[in-house]
Amino acid sequence: MRQMIIAGNWKMNKTITEAKVLVSELKEELNGAEAEVVFCPSTLVVSSVKEELKGTDIKIGAQNMYFEESGAFTGETSPLMLKDLGVNYVILGHSERRNIFGESNELINKKVVKAFETEITPILCVGESLEVRKSGKEVSFVSEQIEKCLVEVKDEQVKNMVIAYEPIWAIGTGETATSEQAEDMCKEIRNLIEKLYNTDTASTVRIQYGGSVKPANAKEILSMPNIDGALVGGAALKKDFIDIVKAI
Ligand code: 13P
């Protein structure tokens, strides 16, 4: 039985002061939730958020990291630094990293491999643009992203990771994929994992949907058999996040 996982990707929002306010508004209601709950603030805010979350079972994720441990990589964050901060998860390959910062599947693959080596669980994001969806090639596009990002990743590792299907056309647009569209792709992803690995791995890996998830659509999306949670952007920055977690 896969435990649901609801992660809030705060993106580049919330100063330390603002983050403390948000955590104090959310933590009591979310502590002990049926789903695993993860807050993913800016790396600069992680230690303050972690401090605020003491005594709760809410986990912490980072939004990115580099694949080297140390050295002349100006502006980058080392996996060891994240580990030292007590981070449990790291979002890798978010479409904003891919599109704004030019991250390739090959680079993301190196980060995924390094995350496992550092014992930080990756939340690997994949998803197609509107153009790709209109061309009808979304399944092969997402499959290629997954295959390339999972090179050298072993079945025992895949079992523990999280894959987030986030169609780019549904991110921050208010336009959600229908629950059928989301389920269809998450099912395709699970079938692909079965093909690349085995049935056990495919039935264990958790697959989230992300893209304009809000209280009004959470219940329907989260009730789909192949959707094991959500990666939430805008709605994770307010009390709506509580309703999303409780929609399960
Ligand atoms: P929104 O929920 O704001 O559409 O963002 C989704 C997302 O990108 C989460 O990683």
Side-chain angles (χ1 to χ4, degrees):
M1 189 64 187
R2 301 182 294 264
Q3 188 190 15
M4 286 274 181
I5 175 166
I6 312 286
N9 175 9
W10 294 9
K11 308 195 179 185
M12 200 177 71
N13 295 294
K14 301 292 174 189
T15 61
I16 289 177
T17 315
E18 292 165 345
K20 284 181 177 171
V21 174
L22 179 62
V23 174
S24 69
E25 284 171 357
L26 302 179
K27 69 175 176 184
E28 248 121 78
E29 294 270 14
L30 295 179
N31 182 31
E34 188 184 326
E36 185 176 1
V37 177
V38 188
F39 289 174
C40 305
S42 148
T43 305
L44 289 175
V45 176
V46 162
S47 53
S48 307
V49 168
K50 195 160 171 66
E51 185 65 29
E52 291 295 312
L53 287 176
K54 259 193 192 146
T56 74
D57 60 1
I58 300 168
K59 309 263 176 60
I60 293 271
Q63 298 173 16
N64 184 30
M65 61 168 225
Y66 198 51
F67 63 85
E68 294 283 2
E69 293 184 353
S70 63
F73 304 104
T74 302
E76 288 296 325
T77 304
S78 154
L80 296 185
M81 294 170 188
L82 293 184
K83 189 72 190 166
D84 195 41
L85 282 173
V87 158
N88 312 99
Y89 287 92
V90 60
I91 298 172
L92 294 174
H94 192 279
S95 61
E96 286 147 21
R97 298 291 327 160
R98 293 174 186 265
N99 297 334
I100 305 172
F101 302 101
E103 291 198 7
S104 64
N105 286 320
E106 289 70 24
L107 174 67
I108 297 159
N109 173 237
K110 288 184 180 169
K111 294 181 178 194
V112 169
V113 168
K114 192 69 194 179
F116 281 118
E117 202 183 304
T118 320
E119 295 179 347
I120 300 172
T121 304
I123 299 176
L124 170 66
C125 300
V126 294
E128 81 288 357
S129 64
L130 189 56
E131 201 186 345
V132 170
R133 178 152 283 260
K134 280 188 175 158
S135 74
K137 298 201 171 95
E138 66 274 12
V139 174
S140 59
F141 183 88
V142 168
S143 301
E144 187 181 331
Q145 284 183 319
I146 291 180
E147 285 195 45
K148 289 189 167 168
C149 290
L150 291 184
V151 172
E152 310 260 319
V153 178
K154 300 177 189 64
D155 57 349
E156 286 305 315
Q157 297 174 318
V158 175
K159 270 186 196 173
N160 284 316
M161 74 184 295
V162 179
I163 298 173
Y165 169 56
E166 299 205 305
I168 298 168
W169 46 272
I171 295 178
T173 57
E175 187 171 341
T176 327
T178 63
S179 45
E180 287 76 23
Q181 284 171 320
E183 164 64 16
D184 285 351
M185 185 62 85
C186 291
K187 194 171 173 192
E188 292 285 353
I189 293 172
R190 206 175 294 287
N191 289 342
L192 175 67
I193 296 295
E194 179 163 26
K195 205 175 93 195
L196 296 175
Y197 295 91
N198 50 54
T199 310
D200 188 26
T201 305
S203 60
T204 308
V205 65
R206 292 185 291 177
I207 306 174
Q208 295 175 314
Y209 167 79
S212 298
V213 175
K214 39 190 181 264
N217 57 28
K219 200 179 170 100
E220 197 182 325
I221 290 168
L222 295 172
S223 67
M224 291 290 151
N226 284 288
I227 300 179
D228 308 313
L231 185 54
V232 185
L237 298 169
K238 39 191 177 179
K239 286 189 177 160
D240 282 3
F241 195 60
I242 298 170
D243 298 327
I244 292 172
V245 173
K246 294 202 167 168
I248 293 167

